[in-house]
Amino acid sequence: MASPVPVKEKKLMEVKLGELPGWILMQDFTPKGIAGAFQRGYYRYYNKYINVKKGGFAGISMVLAAYVLFNHCHSYKELKHERLRKYH
Amino acid sequence: MNENLFASFAAPSMMGLPIVVLIVMFPSVLFPTPSRLINNRLISIQQWLIQLTSKQMLAIHNQKGQTWALMLMSLILFISSTNLLGLLPHSFTPTTQLSMNLGMAIPLWAGTVITGFRYKTKASLAHFLPQGTPLPLIPMLVVIETISLLIQPMALAVRLTANITAGHLLIHLIGGATLALINISATTAFITFIILILLTILEFAVALIQAYVFTLLVSLYLHDNT
């Protein structure tokens, strides 16, 4: 199963299923690596949806929707008491 | 019901870690840095708004006061964006916490007062006595003016906290009332729903106005002291 490109440098979609555990373990989990991952993700989203010539409302509205979802998940514990149910 | 009402104002923490820091830093994600002469639409809109506001706000200051431009503009941007984000469902508004508003109001007010005392000591002390007061009233008036000066930071902080908290509470209560009334009487529920819509429009306005008032007052205190 030796592939010509080393497993560590492949992107996720090109890693074969059998190599997946090894790929996950070889990723960079240092603080610098995690910060780099966040930065790459941020610029991927920014350059695709916002930093374009004719960006629309969808760019920021997706961010706001994710924010609402995050807060909903976080306060689910208090919210589940307010469901419409006969017996709580 | 009582605990539920105030639970949304508790500082959020995930497994003991205060993620309130993340929530306070979140509005900065929505204001990207301009990197070119002509930027994308989001940045262009924000630049236009900031230019409009800063010209209006800094017109009354002299050279020395205008060095505070960055501070005042970032203040109004922060408060308005935080307040507007707080209107989204289930979100946490940092400006409902008195601790945060005191942390904003006291250093800014103290900065203006200390600037006044350092560079124009006589004029700053003269503020304590309005012009043309009759002689017997002077001691009492000095005391009153001192108290009104010392109460300025408290008033700034409490005004912002109370307005935003009251607005959020009203929305919670009236929303709950609308839901409870649906089964009892549809017309009353509809009327309450209209009230809720009007209230939400008011809250949008209040979010912006409170930011403006806070910044305007700080700039006024600055104008007195430069």
Side-chain angles (χ1 to χ4, degrees), chain A residues 1-61:
Chain A
M1 282 233 290
S3 27
V5 179
V7 168
K8 184 181 180 196
E9 285 149 19
K10 281 200 232 174
K11 289 200 215 178
L12 180 58
M13 287 297 139
E14 292 155 20
V15 170
K16 301 205 187 321
L17 210 55
E19 299 168 344
L20 193 58
W23 182 87
I24 291 180
L25 289 171
M26 279 199 245
Q27 286 307 299
D28 188 9
F29 288 117
T30 64
K32 186 177 168 200
I34 295 183
F38 272 110
Q39 203 177 31
R40 283 194 305 272
Y42 171 79
Y43 279 114
R44 232 173 98 179
Y45 183 86
Y46 182 68
N47 288 325
K48 183 167 181 193
Y49 289 108
I50 303 185
N51 206 11
V52 290
K53 223 194 248 185
K54 296 179 98 176
F57 183 58
I60 35 165
S61 69

Side-chain angles (χ1 to χ4, degrees), chain B residues 144-157:
Chain B
I144 290 179
E145 287 288 326
T146 318
I147 294 178
S148 92
L149 180 77
L150 293 174
I151 228 174
Q152 276 172 357
M154 301 294 144
L156 272 177

Side-chain angles (χ1 to χ4, degrees), chain A residues 31-85:
Chain A
K32 186 177 168 200
I34 295 183
F38 272 110
Q39 203 177 31
R40 283 194 305 272
Y42 171 79
Y43 279 114
R44 232 173 98 179
Y45 183 86
Y46 182 68
N47 288 325
K48 183 167 181 193
Y49 289 108
I50 303 185
N51 206 11
V52 290
K53 223 194 248 185
K54 296 179 98 176
F57 183 58
I60 35 165
S61 69
M62 277 195 278
V63 178
L64 294 177
Y67 181 62
V68 171
L69 196 67
F70 172 71
N71 282 313
H72 184 89
C73 296
H74 188 75
S75 41
Y76 185 68
K77 214 167 158 192
E78 278 96 33
L79 286 172
K80 73 177 177 193
H81 296 299
E82 293 172 17
R83 283 185 285 204
L84 279 175
R85 273 193 134 87

